[in-house]
């Protein structure tokens, strides 16, 4: 039996029994679609994590009061008992750390922004040291960034995101305009580039002001986050982090041998944490999808057994005309694999469509990998071959005399 002919027979069988084919392939479609959707969404988030969330660079580490992710209430209580990190801690590391190429500070809250008769609520209000825009890879596309003078003299200047421009100043040049942030006036000196949405939340709804100005408005009681740039990874990062840790431990009077009373995190920490979470989620979904594939494979095996029964006389004719054991076996294996492969192809389309729909609806990033498409098709074909072996063998061992006696 020629390979192409076997594929044609399989496709004709699928087309001739449309409803049966849909019911047969639904398990494979669901399994493959689930895998493709999860891989696509996971790849998208991994790509986002690598390029956006931790865009400070691999040579940047943070010093903060608590860990970036808290897994239990006990951990939360432990972190809340720690002393806050203050602006003078940032200034000490900035002035004393010889291995640190750059040191910045961040403090944030949410507030209300008003311009004329327009207002914006739940806006991220960021208190930044003058070099934070550069450290966070924020390109100021209009106007200028902060200067050391802005931080030193606590000027009422602001860098805003495009949500503020679009919603409060449509059609206007925002530079030089006075906005009110929680009742305090600021002059717009710059606009950051558009960053879009992530998980449905806009990354452009913010107002950044000098950290000294921020603290005059909101107070100095809340803890700040210190960002330190080492210049390069490896030994340079280790030297800078060790020196910054020693300075902060001395200032916070941490006892020798005791744990740090603060958290030091690098991008590797964040990426490793996310990779661990996403891997666990991925394997759980893969396990569920595998059940669908097994169910789909069993259904395909049952349908192929029905097909063998329906075509018993055809098999007898082929054997009588000289078809060998391997010819019949290969014919039914190809038909089973083709049937499963069609289900896999439909699953790839459905899974990719679901992932893109999620991206459009809530802004969850997605990224389709070619390798995942080929893997899904390979696995679906493998399922068809594995579960098609028994029906194919049953067809191949039929006695031609008995098969020819079979009623149509």
């Amino acid at each position: 039996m020629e390979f192409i002919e076997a594929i044609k027979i399989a496709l004709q069988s699928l087309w001739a029994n449309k409803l049966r084919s849909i019911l047969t392939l639904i398990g494979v479609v669901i399994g493959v679609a689930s895998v493709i959707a999860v891989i696509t969404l996971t790849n998208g988030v991994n790509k986002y994590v690598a390029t956006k969330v931790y865009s400070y660079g691999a040579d940047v580490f943070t010093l903060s009061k608590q860990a970036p992710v808290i897994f239990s209430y006990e951990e939360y209580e432990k972190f809340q008992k720690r002393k806050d990190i203050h602006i003078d801690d940032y200034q000490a590391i900035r002035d004393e750390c010889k291995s640190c190429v750059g040191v910045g500070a961040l403090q944030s809250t949410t507030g209300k922004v008003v311009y004329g008769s327009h207002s914006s609520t739940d806006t991220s209000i960021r208190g930044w040291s003058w070099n934070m825009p550069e450290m966070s890879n924020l390109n100021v596309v209009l106007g200028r960034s902060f200067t050391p003078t802005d931080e030193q003299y606590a000027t009422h200047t602001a860098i805003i995101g495009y949500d503020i421009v679009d919603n409060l100043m449509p059609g206007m040049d925002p530079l030089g305009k006075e906005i009110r942030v929680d009742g305090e006036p600021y002059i717009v000196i710059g606009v950051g580039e558009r960053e879009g949405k992530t998980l449905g939340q806009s990354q452009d709804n913010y107002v950044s002001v000098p950290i000294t100005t921020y603290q005059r408005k909101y107070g100095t009681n809340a803890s700040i986050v210190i960002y330190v740039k080492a210049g390069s990874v490896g030994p340079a990062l280790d030297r800078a982090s060790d020196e910054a840790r020693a300075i902060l431990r001395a200032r916070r009077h941490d006892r020798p041998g005791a744990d740090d009373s603060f958290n030091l995190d690098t991008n590797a920490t964040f990426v490793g944490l996310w990779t661990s979470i996403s891997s666990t989620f991925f394997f759980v979904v893969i396990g569920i999808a595998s059940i669908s594939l097994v169910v789909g494979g069993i259904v395909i095996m049952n349908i192929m057994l029905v097909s063998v029964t329906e075509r018993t006389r055809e098999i007898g004719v082929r054997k009588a005309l000289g078809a060998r054991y391997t010819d019949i076996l290969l014919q039914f294996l190809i038909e089973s694999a083709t049937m499963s492969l069609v289900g896999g192809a439909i699953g790839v389309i459905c899974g990719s469509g679901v992932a893109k729909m999620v991206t459009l609806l809530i802004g969850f990033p997605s990224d389709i990998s070619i390798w995942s498409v080929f893997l899904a098709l390979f696995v679906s074909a493998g399922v068809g071959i594995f579960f098609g072996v028994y029906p194919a063998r049953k067809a191949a061992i039929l006695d031609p005399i008995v098969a020819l006696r079979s009623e149509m």
Side-chain angles (χ1 to χ4, degrees):
M1 187 64 189
E2 293 184 359
F3 184 80
I4 301 299
E5 186 66 24
I7 293 178
K8 286 181 179 179
I9 292 174
L11 294 176
Q12 288 169 359
S13 176
L14 286 173
W15 186 255
N17 303 280
K18 299 179 184 64
L19 180 59
R20 189 174 78 176
S21 299
I22 292 172
L23 296 176
T24 301
L25 300 179
I26 194 167
V28 175
V29 170
I30 292 174
V32 172
S34 301
V35 173
I36 289 294
V38 170
I39 291 177
T40 300
L41 293 173
T42 303
N43 283 344
V45 176
N46 285 340
K47 189 175 181 180
Y48 176 83
V49 166
T51 60
K52 292 289 184 181
V53 176
Y54 309 119
S55 60
Y56 297 97
D59 62 336
V60 173
F61 61 90
T62 61
L63 300 161
S64 56
K65 177 180 177 180
Q66 62 184 35
V69 180
I70 300 174
F71 292 100
S72 66
Y73 182 73
E74 288 73 20
E75 282 187 348
Y76 174 78
E77 281 190 322
K78 170 188 171 183
F79 294 139
Q80 289 304 304
K81 292 176 182 177
R82 290 176 171 178
K83 293 185 292 184
D84 291 335
I85 297 178
H86 297 292
I87 192 74
D88 53 349
D89 296 318
Y90 147 67
Q91 292 167 344
I93 294 176
R94 181 193 63 190
D95 297 338
E96 298 174 21
C97 183
K98 306 304 180 185
S99 302
C100 301
V101 174
V103 181
L106 164 68
Q107 202 169 0
S108 64
T109 186
T110 56
K112 181 178 180 180
V113 182
V114 177
Y115 176 75
S117 60
H118 301 281
S119 64
S120 172
T121 56
D122 294 328
T123 298
S124 175
I125 314 301
R126 304 170 181 173
W128 270 358
S129 59
W130 72 271
N131 56 350
M132 277 301 292
E134 180 184 356
M135 291 188 68
S136 59
N137 291 329
L138 176 70
N139 295 322
V140 178
V141 293
L142 292 176
R144 67 172 178 87
S145 186
F146 294 128
T147 65
T149 302
D150 291 315
E151 181 179 335
Q152 181 180 357
Y153 294 101
T155 60
H156 278 233
T157 53
I159 298 172
I160 60 177
Y162 259 102
D163 278 6
I164 306 300
V165 177
D166 296 339
N167 298 328
L168 275 62
M169 310 172 186
M172 299 182 187
D173 180 3
L175 300 181
K177 299 293 190 298
E178 182 181 276
I179 59 174
R180 289 191 171 271
V181 180
D182 289 334
E184 197 79 10
Y186 295 88
I187 300 298
V188 177
I189 61 169
V191 179
E193 67 178 340
R194 291 187 187 275
E195 297 184 74
K197 291 185 177 181
T198 301
L199 305 181
Q201 184 175 2
S202 175
Q203 302 300 303
D204 298 309
N205 186 22
Y206 65 86
V207 173
S208 298
V209 302
I211 192 168
T212 46
T213 312
Y214 177 97
Q215 292 198 332
R216 287 188 180 183
K217 167 64 179 177
Y218 298 100
T220 58
N221 292 328
S223 185
I224 68 170
V225 179
I226 301 173
Y227 290 80
V228 182
K229 188 175 184 66
S232 64
V233 294
L237 180 62
D238 294 336
R239 283 194 302 271
S241 59
D242 288 344
E243 190 174 347
R245 173 186 276 122
I247 294 170
L248 197 54
R249 282 182 63 89
R251 292 186 58 82
R252 295 167 72 85
H253 306 293
D254 291 344
R255 296 192 309 273
D259 292 337
D260 294 338
S261 62
F262 53 90
N263 263 68
L264 191 154
D265 299 291
T266 64
N267 282 356
T269 305
F270 297 126
V271 173
L273 177 63
W274 163 249
T275 301
S276 175
I277 295 172
S278 62
S279 296
T280 302
F281 174 71
F282 176 76
F283 284 116
V284 168
V285 175
I286 290 296
I288 297 172
S290 298
I291 296 173
S292 297
L293 288 173
V294 170
V295 172
I298 292 172
V299 174
I300 288 175
M301 181 173 67
N302 289 335
I303 292 301
M304 291 305 298
L305 286 171
V306 171
S307 179
V308 170
T309 303
E310 290 176 344
R311 297 160 61 185
T312 300
R313 191 172 180 82
E314 175 194 328
I315 295 168
V317 172
R318 289 183 183 276
K319 284 202 166 189
L321 293 174
R324 296 165 298 177
Y325 172 89
T326 53
D327 294 329
I328 302 298
L329 183 71
L330 185 61
Q331 173 192 343
F332 281 90
L333 280 179
I334 291 173
E335 289 186 25
S336 177
T338 301
M339 186 181 299
S340 186
L341 192 60
V342 169
I346 296 172
V348 168
I349 295 171
C350 293
S352 302
V354 168
K356 290 302 178 183
M357 189 178 298
V358 170
T359 300
L360 291 174
L361 292 177
I362 65 172
F364 199 100
S366 60
D367 183 46
I368 299 176
S369 297
I370 298 299
W371 67 265
S372 65
V373 174
F374 284 110
L375 176 64
L377 296 177
F378 175 79
V379 169
S380 60
V383 168
I385 293 172
F386 179 81
F387 286 96
V389 168
Y390 176 70
R393 184 177 179 278
K394 185 176 181 181
I397 63 176
L398 278 175
D399 185 280
I401 304 300
V402 176
L404 285 170
R405 287 176 180 172
S406 176
E407 296 182 0
M408 296 292 289

